[in-house]
Amino acid sequence: MKKDFKKSNLEKISTEAERIKKDSNYLRGTIVEDLKNKITNGFSGDNFSLIRFHGMYQQDDRDLRSERNLQKLEPRHAMMLRCRLPGGIIKAKKWIKIDSFASKNTLYGTIRLTNRQTFQFHGILKGDLKDAHKMLFEIGLDSLGTANDVNRNVLCTSNPMESLIHKESYQWAKKISELLLPKTKAYAEIWLDQKKVTTPDHEPILGKSYLPRKFKTTVVVPPYNDVDLYANDMNFIAITNNQKIVGFNILVGGGLSIEHRNKSTWPFPATEIGYVSADKTLVFAEAIVTTQRDWGNRIDRKNAKTRYTINNMGLDGFKLEVERRAKAKFKSVRSYHFISRGDRFGWMKGIDNYWNLTLFIPNGRIYDDEKTLLKSGLSKIASFHTGNFRLTSNQNIVISEISEQKKDFIENIAISHGLIRKISKLRENSMACVSFPTCPLAMAEAERVLSFFIFQLEIIMSKYNVEKESIVFRISGCSNGCGRSLLAEIGLIGKSMNRYNLYIGGNKIGNRIPKIYKENVTTQEILVHLEDLIKTWANERKKEEDFGDFVLRKKIVNEVINPIHDFWS
Ligand code: SRM
Ligand code: SF4
């Protein structure tokens, strides 16, 4: 453990973000007063940040920004709301209310599936926020802790009905989510008008100042890494015996965000710390989170995530501290392996003899227009279906627990609404973050250009006879990397309008960080570079060699082995 980090960081000088949390009276701030202010559609002062802990972000439509500015109008403020949905599972019947809220109470009328197994509404006006929370409450949901410095939506391998182990892993995801959830009563008071309780608030795990930064958790059943675990702070890989989870390998310190040209930031794939038996799962989860709570950097938010804490304490130091808090020791990591991380599209029969249908949702955006009826299609399925919807970490959806009798009926609805169609492997494995027009941090387009890129790459791949192959292709609109571009075989990260950094060399299972190949290139330049690379790959690859592996073998870029040193060199 390095000397200067021997003392906990908790008492050290705080940033503005730290002050806001500490002074917030357990996340209340003056949100109630702001809700009464009808002059603006926005939130003021600390509340702008505090509403995030309740699962909302204040945004404005960036396509309209300059026009409104010219007219001397305030930006068109509206909120994005992100639901909490551990493991991504929701009863289909509940979807009907979600669908109807999006149509009637949001500016865009869409629902956006995120790459953390939940959904977002974009464009809720301040006056409609309480209705949104009340609607969620009626169907047993909430948006608490889906944003800001807490443990976020807990991910879980997407097909829990495929085996008993998947089912059990989902129960663990829910338990971990509940354990780490903020315990403040502020959410219920403010959004659900529940009476103030006189007992004082207490945050036994998160503390009064909550965590130094966002924290992300997964529960994974090998051999499918469909949750992209290596991007997360804390990961539980299920180890099984006789169709039962006996324990978990724990991996810590994953994260992908960087700041362009800031070498003190780097992406890092989560690292093995040890194995724990199932009965110790929650004890270790709590110990890891409180270690990060007390040792994480509360001065510089760019270096505040778990990977930086681990780098500062050393993995062994971090491990000792976790063991001290858990009053138990990690055991040696058990053997496991991953074979893929994409979703398995189409029909699959579950252990219960019911069927699951995985549907591809481009960018996770659920909408209707003249050509597409994805929203109506899902709503129609929801009205007939008695099972669940399962949202995947690849922004797709599984209609699960369909009886043999209803199989054809549901398939016909899906086909007639464009929810089932033939697409390339490249498209199936692609992803983009939201970016414009709602994301305030966007530097370049992502969601709105993904289809264009895929279309062009499909032409190129077919020209060189590799159109049946898959390449993990991802775009993020800025260096925060929400589209997980820094775990892609080809990843784009936005620099400015129509300009991106181009990274290559990630792998299929998602534990290798790609390396920069070209900096600050335009869309047209990217396509020229990618055509060259794909042509060389098609002509010179070994049998079944993946694109990401090929560019490393040919030394087109150097492998990023230790990202702290290799990512920027
Ligand atoms: Fe993200 C911030 C969207 C997954 C790293 N992310 C944002 C915000 C909220 C912008 C903001 O702070 O104002 C974006 C809202 C855009 C909008 O209009 O909806 C946003 N992030 C998303 C989503 C919706 C992308 C998607 O297309 O699916 C994902 C929501 C997940 C969820 O349901 O919780 C999303 N964000 C990610 C991921 C991927 C993941 O978690 O697997 C990452 C990279 C992994 C990681 O954490 O390292 C990610 N988002 C960030 C960061 C950088 C954090 C950091 O460590 O520095 C920010 C900015 C921040 O927090 O300061 C950010
Ligand atoms: Fe916004 Fe950047 Fe995240 Fe894309 S990567 S959603 S542009 S913060």
Side-chain angles (χ1 to χ4, degrees):
M1 213 180 295
K2 283 183 190 165
K3 272 193 192 125
D4 51 340
F5 260 81
K6 276 214 163 140
K7 191 175 174 319
S8 148
N9 263 321
L10 199 60
E11 302 95 335
K12 288 189 185 170
I13 328 148
S14 294
T15 59
E16 180 62 0
E18 288 302 311
R19 183 201 60 72
I20 292 175
K21 288 182 273 183
K22 197 149 67 58
D23 293 352
S24 71
N25 183 18
Y26 293 96
L27 309 180
R28 286 178 181 78
T30 53
I31 297 174
V32 171
E33 286 74 14
D34 253 1
L35 283 171
K36 289 182 194 143
N37 179 354
K38 303 274 186 288
I39 297 168
T40 164
N41 253 317
F43 284 86
S44 61
D46 294 359
N47 300 334
F48 178 84
S49 161
L50 291 174
I51 58 165
R52 295 185 175 188
F53 285 92
H54 302 248
M56 288 154 292
Y57 289 82
Q58 180 170 317
Q59 303 183 320
D60 71 287
D61 190 316
R62 295 184 62 183
D63 288 347
L64 305 178
R65 221 183 244 182
S66 46
E67 191 189 316
R68 287 183 72 93
N69 199 13
L70 276 176
Q71 295 171 349
K72 300 203 176 351
L73 292 169
E74 85 167 5
R76 190 177 73 165
H77 293 308
M79 309 309 141
M80 174 266 271
L81 185 149
R82 186 184 284 160
C83 185
R84 183 172 68 93
L85 208 58
I89 300 194
I90 178 172
K91 276 259 165 258
K93 287 280 167 288
K94 297 184 179 181
W95 190 260
I96 300 168
K97 291 218 162 168
I98 291 162
D99 177 84
S100 151
F101 185 86
S103 302
K104 293 184 194 143
N105 300 78
T106 69
L107 298 175
Y108 301 95
T110 68
I111 304 166
R112 175 58 151 74
L113 307 185
T114 78
N115 59 15
R116 294 195 70 77
Q117 285 186 313
T118 187
F119 62 87
Q120 294 179 171
F121 296 117
H122 287 100
I124 309 179
L125 295 177
K126 197 167 78 173
D128 289 337
L129 282 175
K130 276 194 175 180
D131 286 347
H133 291 287
K134 285 180 181 162
M135 180 276 293
L136 290 178
F137 181 71
E138 271 173 32
I139 56 175
L141 301 177
D142 59 66
S143 65
L144 181 60
T146 54
N148 229 332
D149 301 341
V150 288
N151 180 56
R152 303 293 189 87
N153 200 42
V154 178
L155 306 186
C156 177
T157 304
S158 286
N159 205 328
M161 290 310 287
E162 203 187 346
S163 74
L164 293 172
I165 294 157
H166 285 86
K167 203 171 178 184
E168 212 186 333
S169 67
Y170 168 59
Q171 296 306 329
W172 279 113
K174 279 209 295 196
K175 279 188 213 162
I176 296 168
S177 172
E178 290 301 323
L179 174 79
L180 302 177
L181 204 60
K183 302 290 181 281
T184 172
K185 294 176 269 311
Y187 181 90
E189 274 168 34
I190 300 172
W191 306 107
L192 307 174
D193 293 326
Q194 288 182 7
K195 272 216 182 111
K196 274 198 176 144
V197 187
T198 42
T199 47
D201 277 301
H202 178 49
E203 294 285 8
I205 297 180
L206 301 172
K208 199 175 176 200
S209 292
Y210 295 84
L211 300 181
R213 202 68 169 89
K214 57 173 69 168
F215 191 90
K216 298 184 173 177
T217 304
T218 72
V219 180
V220 198
V221 183
Y224 303 108
N225 176 24
D226 57 350
V227 297
D228 244 337
L229 79 98
Y230 293 94
N232 291 268
D233 297 78
M234 175 167 77
N235 305 278
F236 296 85
I237 300 182
I239 301 298
T240 59
N241 192 8
N242 283 332
Q243 289 291 302
K244 254 203 97 39
I245 295 180
V246 292
F248 292 100
N249 287 329
I250 301 185
L251 275 66
V252 289
L256 303 179
S257 166
I258 53 159
E259 189 178 45
H260 288 306
R261 292 175 182 272
N262 178 352
K263 294 188 179 170
S264 74
T265 65
W266 20 261
F268 209 87
T271 311
E272 293 168 354
I273 188 167
Y275 168 85
V276 302
S277 55
D279 59 320
K280 292 270 185 291
T281 308
L282 298 183
V283 174
F284 273 91
E286 178 171 339
I288 290 168
V289 169
T290 61
T291 301
Q292 163 61 5
R293 177 195 71 196
D294 296 344
W295 290 81
N297 187 339
R298 288 187 185 254
I299 301 157
D300 178 2
R301 286 179 70 75
K302 294 233 168 289
N303 281 127
K305 286 207 71 190
T306 320
R307 63 187 182 278
Y308 301 107
T309 314
I310 294 171
N311 185 46
N312 287 324
M313 295 172 80
L315 185 61
D316 288 343
F318 187 86
K319 188 171 171 178
L320 275 176
E321 183 60 24
V322 172
E323 289 179 334
R324 189 182 70 75
R325 289 167 187 243
K327 298 188 179 58
K329 295 258 175 234
F330 283 107
K331 301 200 175 94
S332 307
V333 165
R334 304 275 176 97
S335 112
Y336 64 97
H337 82 291
F338 290 112
I339 53 171
S340 73
R341 64 187 154 145
D343 291 332
R344 289 156 282 163
F345 294 98
W347 287 104
M348 204 167 24
K349 203 169 197 173
I351 35 157
D352 49 6
N353 278 331
Y354 281 87
W355 287 92
N356 302 290
L357 175 63
T358 305
L359 302 171
F360 174 75
I361 308 289
N363 291 304
R365 182 71 67 179
I366 298 175
Y367 67 103
D368 283 348
D369 65 12
E370 316 77 57
K371 287 190 256 154
T372 318
L373 292 169
L374 306 183
K375 188 162 171 294
S376 307
L378 282 175
S379 167
K380 194 159 183 192
I381 292 174
S383 67
F384 289 106
H385 183 41
T386 47
N388 285 312
F389 280 1
R390 293 166 194 220
L391 313 189
T392 81
S393 307
N394 293 304
Q395 304 165 334
N396 297 311
I397 195 163
V398 185
I399 317 293
S400 70
E401 294 122 68
I402 304 172
S403 63
E404 186 75 44
Q405 296 87 317
K406 288 223 182 118
K407 198 170 167 249
D408 288 349
F409 180 66
I410 290 192
E411 184 171 279
N412 286 338
I413 302 176
I415 292 172
S416 62
H417 289 78
L419 285 156
I420 295 181
R421 61 213 171 287
K422 219 176 151 23
I423 53 166
S424 65
K425 282 218 163 69
L426 176 75
R427 198 173 288 266
E428 279 183 356
N429 283 295
S430 65
M431 186 191 290
C433 71
V434 176
S435 199
F436 286 99
T438 52
C439 181
L441 308 176
M443 296 168 118
E445 294 282 358
E447 179 177 327
R448 297 196 293 198
V449 293
L450 181 68
S451 192
F452 166 80
F453 272 106
I454 297 293
F455 184 70
Q456 297 300 324
L457 290 175
E458 282 168 349
I459 296 173
I460 292 170
M461 286 176 76
S462 147
K463 188 165 158 193
Y464 300 105
N465 299 319
V466 282
E467 71 278 11
K468 295 217 167 76
E469 302 297 324
S470 80
I471 299 178
V472 178
F473 177 82
R474 294 174 172 181
I475 312 180
S476 301
C478 79
S479 62
N480 286 312
C482 302
R484 296 199 289 259
S485 307
L486 289 184
L487 282 178
E489 291 183 278
I490 300 177
L492 301 183
I493 293 202
K495 285 230 50 178
S496 61
M497 258 320 173
N498 191 32
R499 284 187 174 272
Y500 301 83
N501 283 354
L502 167 59
Y503 296 82
I504 54 173
N507 60 8
K508 282 279 183 316
I509 60 164
N511 62 358
R512 194 168 66 207
I513 303 288
K515 177 95 181 162
I516 194 152
Y517 177 60
K518 296 287 166 192
E519 199 177 340
N520 202 21
V521 274
T522 63
T523 304
Q524 283 318 315
E525 287 165 343
I526 290 165
L527 290 172
V528 171
H529 290 305
L530 290 181
E531 171 150 13
D532 266 2
L533 290 171
I534 288 170
K535 180 179 169 190
T536 319
W537 171 59
N539 291 335
E540 298 174 29
R541 69 198 282 242
K542 288 185 184 163
K543 195 164 179 266
E544 292 180 5
E545 188 175 25
D546 286 331
F547 178 86
D549 296 339
F550 173 81
V551 296
L552 295 190
R553 182 173 64 82
K554 285 284 180 176
K555 301 221 175 314
I556 296 170
V557 289
N558 290 329
E559 182 172 354
V560 175
I561 296 167
N562 180 348
I564 303 176
H565 308 116
D566 308 339
F567 182 72
W568 293 102
S569 61

